[in-house]
Amino acid sequence: MKKILLISFALSVSGCAATQVIPLINSEASKIELVKHEPSREKCEFLGDVQGTAKASDIGVATMNSRNDMRNSAYNMGANFVTMDTTTAANAMDWTGRNQVAITGRAFKCK
């Protein structure tokens, strides 16, 4: 009986851990540049802070999805350039064994 309960629990938890790819809003969002340096304030207007977060079993997929999430947020603000300030990766703490990646940055509209 204990084995059956353990197996059913393991299957139910693994079903929750499915990885989804966060799609970009449209092809224009994919053109938003993500960089580590701040652009020239003479050529770029600061629009606001942005964040991207995602969870996945694979850290690379979680990072890609976080970047897509950030690009989507920046696109909604009218940005074409994002300076990435911090990247944090940790266990998602949701009993699935997934990784959570959060990226914060600043969105700009550059000429």
Side-chain angles (χ1 to χ4, degrees):
M1 184 65 174
K2 284 184 180 181
K3 277 188 178 182
I4 293 172
L5 288 173
L6 184 59
I7 291 171
S8 63
F9 174 77
L11 289 174
S12 67
V13 169
S14 66
C16 296
T19 299
Q20 285 186 292
V21 173
I22 295 176
L24 292 169
I25 292 172
N26 65 32
S27 61
E28 292 300 309
S30 67
K31 296 176 184 175
I32 294 175
E33 214 175 325
L34 301 180
V35 297
K36 292 281 186 185
H37 63 279
E38 186 171 315
S40 166
R41 291 287 181 139
E42 295 169 4
K43 298 179 183 178
C44 302
E45 174 190 359
F46 173 70
L47 300 178
D49 295 324
V50 289
Q51 180 175 343
T53 58
K55 296 177 187 178
S57 335
D58 181 271
I59 194 76
V61 172
T63 301
M64 178 188 69
N65 285 342
S66 293
R67 289 179 178 179
N68 283 352
D69 190 34
M70 178 176 267
R71 280 190 174 102
N72 288 338
S73 296
Y75 176 80
N76 285 334
M77 297 171 80
N80 60 2
F81 196 92
V82 173
T83 299
M84 296 187 302
D85 294 324
T86 62
T87 302
T88 306
N91 184 301
M93 303 298 280
D94 61 3
W95 301 96
T96 61
R98 295 182 297 174
N99 299 292
Q100 179 170 328
V101 175
I103 304 172
T104 61
R106 291 167 284 146
F108 295 88
K109 177 72 173 178
C110 298
K111 300 174 189 173

